[in-house]
């Protein structure tokens, strides 16, 4: 699969992607006067694709103002349990 993980189908009957299903849960927790913030952590590789998905799907029914994308910076990672970079 070459896309972003949050775009993968979360179930087969409707084909709703993981991010869409999660947005449905957030929407169910709120009412007209009480908006629940929806914050999504992205990386340099997924940030633009996630934003494109949200825009294409009209933020899955959420208000765009309640959705925040947080792009994490690149950090060194360990390759194995021996702590090799």
């Amino acid at each position: 699969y070459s896309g972003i993980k949050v775009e993968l189908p979360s179930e087969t009957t409707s084909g709703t992607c993981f991010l869409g299903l999660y947005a449905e849960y957030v929407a169910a927790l709120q009412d007209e006067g009480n908006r629940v913030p929806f914050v999504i952590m992205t990386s340099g590789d997924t940030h633009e694709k996630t934003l494109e998905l949200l825009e294409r799907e009209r933020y899955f029914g959420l208000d765009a103002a309640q959705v925040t994308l947080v792009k994490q910076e690149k950090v060194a990672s360990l390759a194995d349990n021996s702590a090799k970079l």
Side-chain angles (χ1 to χ4, degrees):
Y1 181 74
S2 62
I4 53 177
K5 292 177 190 170
V6 295
E7 196 170 16
L8 283 167
S10 60
E11 48 88 19
T12 57
T13 56
S14 71
T16 301
C17 70
F18 172 75
L19 189 57
L21 185 64
Y22 194 53
E24 288 176 15
Y25 290 139
V26 170
L29 293 172
Q30 61 191 17
D31 55 37
E32 199 59 39
N34 183 25
R35 295 284 179 210
V36 176
F38 187 37
V39 181
I40 304 165
M41 177 80 64
T42 63
S43 69
D45 296 331
T46 63
H47 188 83
E48 289 302 318
K49 292 176 182 178
T50 303
L51 181 58
E52 289 170 8
L53 173 62
L54 286 165
E55 290 173 346
R56 184 175 67 241
E57 298 297 331
R58 296 184 180 98
Y59 289 82
F60 299 98
L62 299 176
D63 183 351
Q66 79 187 89
V67 179
T68 303
L69 296 181
V70 178
K71 185 176 168 185
Q72 63 188 8
E73 298 298 320
K74 293 190 182 245
V75 295
S77 61
L78 304 176
D80 57 27
N81 287 338
S82 299
K84 296 178 185 171
L85 292 178

